[in-house]
């Protein structure tokens, strides 16, 4: 079992920045990939960025160049820094972990609201 707790969401003006943090606990030794997803009202949940245990990263096109995902070596923290925020970045952001055994775990989410 892996527990994920997000923090760092809130209200920010367009053009601003924020950093989301996710604390992982439990069987963190089994984590292979850590990532961030988001879900806006009326839309499907989408991958924002993820980072594998080898350090390789993926970003959704709309965030490339504006976002940076990072983690610590113990897989107990994952961060998402986002710059030049846009109103369309408004969503609930969820922390996600995938284990070597292909199990998926989710945090409860943190709201990010970008005002124009």
């Amino acid at each position: 079992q892996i527990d994920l707790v997000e923090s760092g969401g809130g209200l920010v003006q367009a053009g601003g920045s924020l950093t989301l943090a996710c604390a992982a606990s439990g069987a963190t030794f089994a984590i292979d990939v850590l990532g961030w997803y988001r879900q806006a009202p009326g839309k499907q949940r989408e991958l924002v960025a993820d980072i594998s245990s080898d350090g390789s990263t993926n970003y959704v096109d709309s965030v490339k160049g504006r976002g940076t995902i990072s983690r610590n070596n113990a897989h107990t923290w994952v961060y998402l820094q986002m710059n030049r925020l846009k109103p369309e970045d408004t969503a609930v952001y969820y922390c996600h972990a995938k284990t070597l055994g292909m199990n998926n775990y989710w945090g409860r989410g943190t709201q990010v609201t970008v005002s124009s």
Side-chain angles (χ1 to χ4, degrees):
Q1 178 67 31
I2 294 170
D3 293 318
L4 303 170
V5 179
E6 303 97 339
S7 60
L11 175 65
V12 61
Q13 288 187 333
S17 301
L18 60 71
T19 298
L20 302 180
C22 174
S25 61
T28 57
F29 60 87
I31 293 175
D32 182 28
V33 181
L34 286 165
W36 290 92
Y37 286 70
R38 66 187 178 187
Q39 187 165 19
K43 295 187 177 181
Q44 290 188 332
R45 190 174 297 189
E46 66 170 356
L47 173 68
V48 179
D50 64 20
I51 182 166
S52 299
S53 54
D54 64 1
S56 59
T57 58
N58 292 300
Y59 295 90
V60 66
D61 286 346
S62 60
V63 170
K64 285 180 181 177
R66 300 189 297 121
T68 302
I69 189 169
S70 61
R71 61 163 175 75
N72 68 342
N73 289 334
H75 297 174
T76 53
W77 286 94
V78 61
Y79 306 93
L80 178 67
Q81 180 179 0
M82 293 187 64
N83 303 314
R84 303 191 300 280
L85 284 161
K86 305 174 182 180
E88 50 264 44
D89 293 318
T90 295
V92 178
Y93 284 70
Y94 296 92
C95 183
H96 172 258
K98 187 176 72 174
T99 67
L100 294 167
M102 304 299 285
N103 294 312
N104 292 284
Y105 296 90
W106 296 92
R108 293 187 176 183
T110 184
Q111 176 71 45
V112 173
T113 302
V114 183
S115 63
S116 57

